[in-house]
Amino acid sequence: KLCGYLQKLSGKGPLRGFRSRWFVFDPRRCYLYYFKGPQEPLPLGHLDIASACFSYHQPEAGAAAAGDELTAFEVHSPGGAVTVLKAATRQDTTYWLQELQQKRWEHCHNLESRTSPTPSDFSKGLVAKDNPGTILSQNASAERARNILAVETSPTDLVGEQAASQPAPVQGSAINFSLKQWSTEIKNSMSSLRKGSNENRRSIFYTTEEWELLDPTPKDLEDSMALEEKRKHLAEGSKGRRLTSSAFPFDFGRIPHKARRPLKDMIGSSKNRNSSDSSPTEWCSGNGNRLVSELQLKYQSQQEELEKLKKDLLSQKELVRLLQQTVRSSQYDKYFASRLCEGVPKDTLELLHQKDDQILGLNNQLEKLNLEKDSLQQEVKNLKCKVGELNERLGMLMETIQAKDEVIMKLSRQLSECEDSTSSQSGAINSPTAICTNKELQELDRLKDNLQGYKTQNKFLNKEILELSTLRRNAEGREREWQAKYTSLEAKLCQIESKYLILLQEMKTPVCSEDQSPAREVITQLLEDALKAEPNEQPEQAFFKPHLVSEYDIYGFQTIPEDDDEEKLVAKSRALDLRSLSLSENREISTGVKWENYLASTMNREMMRCVELKNLIRCGIPHEHRSKMWKWCVNLHVKKFKDSAVPGYFQILLQKALEKPNPASKQIELDLLRTLPNNKHYSSPTSEGIQKLRNVLLAFSWRNPDIGYCQGLNRLVAIALLYLEQEDAFWCLVTIVEVFMPRDYYTKTLLGSQVDQRVFKDLLSEKLPRLHAHFEQYKVDYTLITFNWFLVVFVDSVVSDILFKIWDSFLYEGPKVIFRFALALFKYKEEEILKLQDSMSIFKYLRYFTRTILDARKLTAIAFGDLNPFPLRQIRNRRAYHLEKVRLELTELEAIREDFLRERETCVEKRDLISDDEEDS
């Protein structure tokens, strides 16, 4: 990954200078984004590398530091803008230039056939084995020339992902604040402040939305309330003390009158002196010396006072300790004299006094040892500090010695050269000619160094010219291809417009006979053209035909069904709309670079839950990072289960399931091919996903025999297996069933699922009252539709792009996300549903309306913005309330069932009646 620190020249006038920035290359768009630091979420700007060219920077006369021309380079953008960047070393400059050249070359060369994602972008799940890479033909002569002109170099620690943990390079006096991007700077600052405050605000339990899955215990609540009361008392006491005590531990009254000048006045006078027109020399020679001497005297006197106060404090502490010991011993003697002396032998009392003296002596010895231990610990700290200082001094001395050795070697080499030159000139050592020769040798060395640098620059610039020429030729070829494609599309558009005009004309003409009208023939022909499979074309003609819709999407789902022509037409229209949305989103600034920057900042530290990560996940995890993030989210929730499990726990369960018969295995086998028949990873018995799905479901049925297997679990596992390996998908299922969902959610009674439907009804009446009243008016039971949404987390209910964005937030935040998106789906289409005026049309619309929602960004904004506030505590309370009601209803139903069975046994006429459960069995 190409990222690291560079210094960017910015500003105008006296503020112009190099400012350190963190640069990250985004390969999707070939942009080089720059941030203020590695932890910043928002970029300050970007450079379009695909359309840029590079050259070395020639500094302005009188403004160049030594070596700037070798470490600074320019990026020329198409609009004429020039960005000057500077690396820490010449080595880093060469590395950055060559890498940017290579990225530009790869991006422009693969522009036509680039597919996203590629197998190297991720490493887990069934999707990772999809999308084989495209082998591209390259210009052999151009590649050979590029390799010849390449300069071998390796980066330093300031380039690469490891540079995120390094401090930013020291820069000049330029202010590290961008006035042009002041709004982004403020947003990044607020984000970092929120991040720090969230870390400091964490306690044992959490009630905020970020940590909403954990409930506080009553004991935790009592402890927190007691701690809060204690803080209030301390705050009130400190307020009273502040009125009487000074903020400084020094007694300014003891300082002589000469040094009693207020510090505020001194600071003000120093500011006035600095702002006056007097020169720095006059200031230092005049009043400055007097102020410095006064401050030194005051500082020394305050130090003396501080030492005295410390000694007094130690003596007072020792006195208090002795007095406390005396009081304790006197109280102890008094207690024995008053209570225990009556009827106790004298020998026993003497023995008790002896033991008491021994205890006091041991206590005194223990206190002395504690004091000695504290003093020794303080000495150890001081020694460690001294050792650190000595190490620093040693390092500085070593560097000084090394520099001196280099100087000595250089001088010795020059001396030997001078001696050789003087010996050839027969005794003219002290002549002006020898002095000139020495200067010429030094000049020669300098010119050799410059020559080597200019050779490197010349190689790079020749390579840059070669690449730009090749890219220009490629761009011209692409332009011709796009022109041909545009002509082909324009011709096709004219044909379609002609057919539609004929269709409209035929629709205007009245039909007088019962014969088939020409309009029906035109419509039939148009449908056949729209659904006709595109023929295989020759490679040289392939670019004339646009391929907008592929047979499968990137997740393996079939985009267009094979059987129903009407459904096929709707599916193709939906796929074209999705393609249009994805193309329009790609034109905007992608969130991918924010993910790259965030993941780069976590290279040397453990990833933790925070507001920034939650907002990123809500926007959607990029395809190439989804495997890693899903695994991290699952491990976050099941860490306690995995820590308590034996090593190889999943393999042990799987081995048991394969060796012993399982009651759930028969139903699992029946449901395998019915799981996701429209996904190519599960479409046939030989598909790779079928065996993995079988293994995970069998292992889980052995882990949780109370559930065993429930229809719906297979779809949850199938979605998880697209991005996770078998064992991780198993723990993902454990997370959903045992951590996220309430008990009895996937049992035979589906008690938890029924409860959630009632909770959802309450939320719908609260958040969308008009829609709820509309459903009540026409007596539409929409829970028949939403029940499956909750059971399988929207699998087969929404389009795949939206489905995986829902799963991103679901695996991070938990089950509340299901309520959010279920309400958001209804709110998205609220107006369309309100227009329907009969129960049959409403119910028919509810069965398919979720597949017509394609804008994931709008749906996410509704779910996490328009529906706030959304407290989890309210959902928990309503779950508990409805759980009791459902249990009571189930108890009544069981009683009715028992009465029915009892009555059937006693009544001869009803013996032929059977119940629904008996009929199912």
Side-chain angles (χ1 to χ4, degrees):
K1 186 182 298 180
L2 184 59
C3 57
Y5 284 106
L6 287 174
Q7 293 190 21
K8 181 177 178 291
L9 184 63
S10 58
K12 294 182 180 179
L15 296 179
R16 185 170 178 79
F18 285 98
R19 293 169 174 81
S20 180
R21 296 286 181 257
W22 174 259
F23 284 80
V24 180
F25 181 76
D26 181 13
R28 300 174 191 80
R29 310 187 66 194
C30 201
Y31 279 3
L32 186 65
Y33 289 89
Y34 55 92
F35 300 76
K36 189 174 181 181
Q39 283 75 31
E40 300 293 335
L42 298 176
L44 299 177
H46 69 273
L47 304 175
D48 187 1
I49 301 300
S51 305
C53 58
F54 313 105
S55 65
Y56 282 90
H57 176 57
Q58 300 298 328
E60 300 173 2
D68 269 5
E69 56 181 295
L70 298 177
T71 59
F73 60 95
E74 298 176 352
V75 180
H76 295 261
S77 300
V82 179
T83 305
V84 181
L85 304 176
K86 185 172 72 172
T89 62
R90 189 189 305 178
Q91 184 179 358
D92 285 345
T93 303
T94 307
Y95 180 81
W96 271 101
L97 284 170
Q98 293 202 134
E99 285 296 315
L100 290 175
Q101 268 189 342
Q102 182 67 23
K103 301 296 184 185
R104 181 188 62 190
W105 176 265
E106 292 173 357
H107 176 82
C108 294
H109 189 70
N110 302 338
L111 198 59
E112 282 298 307
S113 53
R114 168 173 289 179
T115 56
S116 178
T118 58
S120 60
D121 288 333
F122 42 86
S123 59
K124 302 292 182 185
L126 296 171
V127 182
K129 300 176 176 60
D130 239 353
N131 301 322
T134 305
I135 301 175
L136 301 169
S137 60
Q138 298 183 359
N139 191 331
S141 61
E143 284 293 326
R144 187 162 54 251
R146 290 178 70 254
N147 293 333
I148 292 172
L149 294 174
V151 180
E152 293 185 4
T153 183
S154 57
T156 62
D157 293 339
L158 293 177
V159 181
E161 294 178 350
Q162 73 279 357
S165 60
Q166 301 288 335
V170 179
Q171 58 188 18
S173 59
I175 302 173
N176 193 16
F177 187 84
S178 176
L179 296 176
K180 189 180 291 185
Q181 295 93 7
W182 60 271
S183 60
T184 305
E185 292 266 9
I186 293 172
K187 289 178 183 177
N188 287 333
S189 302
M190 295 303 295
S191 175
S192 61
L193 287 174
R194 285 197 300 269
K195 183 179 177 182
S197 63
N198 286 335
E199 291 175 356
N200 296 330
R201 197 169 60 236
R202 291 174 182 169
S203 59
I204 301 172
F205 59 92
Y206 306 92
T207 56
T208 60
E209 189 174 330
E210 179 186 357
W211 292 90
E212 60 196 8
L213 300 178
L214 301 177
D215 278 327
T217 61
K219 186 176 183 305
D220 292 332
L221 288 172
E222 292 176 3
D223 294 343
S224 64
M225 292 296 292
L227 185 60
E228 193 66 29
E229 290 294 331
K230 187 176 179 182
R231 285 179 181 171
K232 288 181 180 177
H233 291 311
L234 288 174
E236 291 173 359
S238 63
K239 285 180 183 177
R241 287 195 298 272
R242 286 194 196 103
L243 298 174
T244 57
S245 62
S246 173
F248 297 94
F250 311 122
D251 186 2
F252 288 102
R254 300 184 185 182
I255 301 174
H257 179 72
K258 184 178 179 180
R260 286 189 187 178
R261 189 179 179 187
L263 187 60
K264 183 176 180 182
D265 295 344
M266 288 190 291
I267 294 173
S269 62
S270 66
K271 287 182 179 178
N272 292 332
R273 293 189 187 97
N274 286 333
S275 61
S276 64
D277 296 330
S278 60
S279 64
T281 308
E282 293 175 354
W283 159 246
C284 292
S285 61
N287 296 331
N289 291 333
R290 190 180 304 111
L291 178 61
V292 170
S293 61
E294 289 179 3
L295 289 174
Q296 287 178 348
L297 288 172
K298 178 173 287 191
Y299 178 72
Q300 290 176 0
S301 62
Q302 289 174 352
Q303 288 289 338
E304 292 175 0
E305 286 293 326
L306 181 62
E307 293 295 330
K308 289 180 182 179
L309 289 173
K310 285 183 178 179
K311 290 179 182 179
D312 293 341
L313 180 63
L314 290 175
S315 61
Q316 293 294 332
K317 283 184 177 180
E318 184 66 21
L319 179 61
V320 169
R321 186 179 62 81
L322 295 175
L323 290 174
Q324 286 177 348
Q325 289 181 357
T326 306
V327 170
R328 283 200 299 268
S329 61
S330 62
Q331 289 177 351
Y332 189 73
D333 293 340
K334 181 179 178 182
Y335 176 77
F336 269 95
S338 61
R339 298 291 182 88
L340 301 177
C341 292
E342 299 176 1
V344 179
K346 187 175 181 182
D347 298 337
T348 306
L349 287 175
E350 291 178 356
L351 180 62
L352 289 173
H353 282 295
Q354 290 177 3
K355 296 297 183 182
D356 188 21
D357 294 339
Q358 290 179 3
I359 290 170
L360 291 175
L362 290 173
N363 285 331
N364 293 334
Q365 188 175 359
L366 179 61
E367 291 179 358
K368 289 179 181 178
L369 291 174
N370 286 332
L371 292 174
E372 290 180 3
K373 184 188 76 171
D374 294 338
S375 62
L376 289 173
Q377 287 179 348
Q378 188 64 32
E379 289 180 6
V380 167
K381 289 182 180 178
N382 295 334
L383 289 173
K384 285 183 179 179
C385 294
K386 289 181 180 179
V387 168
E389 293 175 357
L390 291 173
N391 285 330
E392 292 179 0
R393 291 180 61 187
L394 178 61
M396 293 172 61
L397 290 173
M398 292 296 291
E399 292 178 359
T400 306
I401 291 171
Q402 186 177 359
K404 288 182 178 180
D405 289 341
E406 292 177 357
V407 172
I408 291 170
M409 293 295 293
K410 186 175 181 181
L411 292 176
S412 300
R413 186 168 59 254
Q414 292 178 359
L415 181 60
S416 62
E417 292 175 355
C418 289
E419 288 177 353
D420 293 340
S421 63
T422 52
S423 61
S424 64
Q425 294 178 3
S426 65
I429 299 175
N430 297 322
S431 65
T433 307
I435 298 172
C436 292
T437 304
N438 191 16
K439 291 182 178 179
E440 289 174 356
L441 290 172
Q442 293 178 1
E443 182 69 16
L444 181 62
D445 291 338
R446 189 181 67 81
L447 290 174
K448 284 182 179 179
D449 291 339
N450 290 341
L451 178 62
Q452 187 62 35
Y454 286 124
K455 280 184 178 180
T456 304
Q457 289 189 13
N458 188 40
K459 267 190 172 184
F460 169 77
L461 293 175
N462 286 334
K463 185 181 176 185
E464 179 73 5
I465 292 170
L466 172 67
E467 284 197 4
L468 289 175
S469 301
T470 307
L471 293 175
R472 181 182 60 81
R473 288 194 297 271
N474 293 343
E476 290 175 353
R478 280 199 306 272
E479 186 178 357
R480 288 192 296 271
E481 293 174 2
W482 283 110
Q483 185 66 32
K485 184 182 288 187
Y486 168 75
T487 305
S488 173
L489 288 173
E490 190 174 12
K492 186 176 180 180
L493 178 62
C494 292
Q495 293 174 5
I496 293 175
E497 285 184 354
S498 173
K499 291 178 182 178
Y500 276 107
L501 288 174
I502 295 172
L503 174 64
L504 292 174
Q505 181 64 31
E506 292 294 334
M507 294 294 290
K508 275 183 67 176
T509 305
V511 180
C512 300
S513 63
E514 297 180 357
D515 298 333
Q516 187 176 8
S517 64
R520 294 186 61 86
E521 296 179 0
V522 175
I523 294 173
T524 305
Q525 185 62 38
L526 287 173
L527 288 175
E528 289 178 359
D529 292 343
L531 300 175
K532 184 170 58 178
E534 296 177 354
N536 295 327
E537 300 178 357
Q538 298 299 323
E540 62 271 10
Q541 298 175 346
F543 61 86
F544 290 109
K545 197 73 172 177
H547 299 283
L548 296 178
V549 179
S550 58
E551 184 180 1
Y552 296 97
D553 61 12
I554 58 175
Y555 313 105
F557 289 99
Q558 195 175 23
T559 53
I560 301 175
E562 298 177 352
D563 46 3
D564 189 2
D565 286 346
E566 184 176 353
E567 180 63 26
K568 189 184 296 186
L569 188 65
V570 174
K572 188 165 184 178
S573 172
R574 186 186 307 130
L576 288 170
D577 289 340
L578 281 172
R579 176 69 174 164
S580 173
L581 276 173
S582 64
L583 289 173
S584 62
E585 287 179 0
N586 288 337
R587 293 173 60 186
E588 302 174 7
I589 295 180
S590 172
T591 58
V593 68
K594 297 180 184 178
W595 274 99
E596 296 289 348
N597 197 39
Y598 176 79
L599 294 175
S601 68
T602 59
M603 285 300 298
N604 296 305
R605 61 181 176 89
E606 186 179 357
M607 197 183 302
M608 298 179 64
R609 301 186 74 159
C610 61
V611 176
E612 178 189 355
L613 179 59
K614 182 174 72 173
N615 292 334
L616 282 175
I617 290 177
R618 285 180 172 183
C619 293
I621 302 173
H623 190 69
E624 60 271 22
H625 299 308
R626 185 166 281 140
S627 173
K628 175 183 177 181
M629 292 305 302
W630 278 21
K631 183 176 180 180
W632 178 82
C633 290
V634 169
N635 291 335
L636 186 72
H637 296 299
V638 295
K639 187 176 185 301
K640 59 180 181 180
F641 295 128
K642 296 182 77 171
D643 291 343
S644 60
V646 297
Y649 177 66
F650 171 73
Q651 295 298 332
I652 293 172
L653 290 176
L654 182 58
Q655 192 65 28
K656 285 182 181 179
L658 295 176
E659 291 176 355
K660 300 178 182 179
N662 191 335
S665 59
K666 182 178 179 181
Q667 188 61 42
I668 289 173
E669 290 295 329
L670 290 174
D671 286 348
L672 286 177
L673 291 176
R674 296 185 295 192
T675 302
L676 292 177
N678 59 336
N679 190 293
K680 63 181 179 181
H681 301 293
Y682 305 100
S683 58
S684 67
T686 58
S687 300
E688 185 181 1
I690 292 295
Q691 182 58 42
K692 292 185 176 182
L693 182 61
R694 179 188 293 113
N695 293 342
V696 174
L697 291 174
L698 287 174
F700 182 79
S701 65
W702 273 92
R703 170 182 170 84
N704 203 325
D706 293 339
I707 295 175
Y709 171 74
C710 171
Q711 287 184 348
L713 298 182
N714 55 336
R715 295 189 177 187
L716 298 176
V717 176
I719 294 298
L721 281 171
L722 292 178
Y723 283 98
L724 301 174
E725 292 296 336
Q726 290 185 79
E727 186 172 354
D728 297 323
F730 166 78
W731 287 113
C732 180
L733 185 61
V734 172
T735 301
I736 295 172
V737 177
E738 301 182 18
V739 179
F740 286 169
M741 300 305 190
R743 290 175 59 89
D744 299 327
Y745 212 89
Y746 294 97
T747 55
K748 185 178 179 180
T749 60
L750 298 175
L751 179 62
S753 303
Q754 298 181 51
V755 169
D756 270 2
Q757 293 309 302
R758 302 195 180 195
V759 174
F760 180 68
K761 273 189 174 182
D762 293 347
L763 292 174
L764 187 70
S765 64
E766 177 186 335
K767 301 290 184 180
L768 303 173
R770 289 196 305 152
L771 191 62
H772 177 74
H774 190 66
F775 287 145
E776 291 294 324
Q777 178 184 354
Y778 293 101
K779 296 181 173 54
V780 175
D781 187 7
Y782 52 86
T783 59
L784 298 175
I785 304 295
T786 60
F787 186 85
N788 197 52
W789 296 0
F790 284 74
L791 197 66
V792 296
V793 195
F794 298 100
V795 177
D796 269 350
S797 297
V798 294
V799 295
S800 53
D801 286 341
I802 293 179
L803 172 67
F804 286 95
K805 283 182 170 61
I806 293 175
W807 271 65
D808 293 339
S809 300
F810 171 67
L811 291 179
Y812 181 76
E813 299 185 47
K816 194 174 77 168
V817 169
I818 305 178
F819 288 97
R820 279 187 178 274
F821 276 98
L823 290 170
L825 288 170
F826 279 115
K827 186 172 178 60
Y828 195 106
K829 293 290 186 178
E830 182 179 13
E831 297 302 326
E832 285 81 354
I833 298 174
L834 291 175
K835 292 176 183 177
L836 303 174
Q837 299 298 323
D838 63 274
S839 58
M840 290 298 295
S841 59
I842 293 174
F843 194 78
K844 183 179 178 181
Y845 183 75
L846 293 181
R847 291 181 62 184
Y848 72 87
F849 85 100
T850 54
R851 306 290 299 181
T852 64
I853 296 175
L854 307 177
D855 193 345
R857 185 177 299 181
K858 180 180 177 182
L859 184 67
T860 304
I862 294 173
F864 295 110
D866 298 350
L867 296 176
N868 286 332
F870 211 90
L872 184 65
R873 188 183 298 107
Q874 180 185 11
I875 295 177
R876 290 199 183 106
N877 294 336
R878 290 184 176 178
R879 272 177 170 170
Y881 169 73
H882 287 294
L883 180 62
E884 295 299 323
K885 291 185 66 175
V886 173
R887 280 178 176 168
L888 184 60
E889 292 174 5
L890 289 177
T891 304
E892 293 176 356
L893 288 174
E894 185 64 25
I896 294 173
R897 179 176 174 275
E898 290 178 357
D899 292 341
F900 168 76
L901 293 176
R902 196 180 307 112
E903 187 178 354
R904 190 181 65 176
E905 291 296 328
T906 57
C907 183
V908 179
E909 297 177 354
K910 296 183 180 181
R911 285 182 182 178
D912 295 334
L913 300 177
I914 58 173
S915 64
D916 293 339
D917 293 340
E918 292 173 333
E919 185 177 2
D920 293 339
S921 61

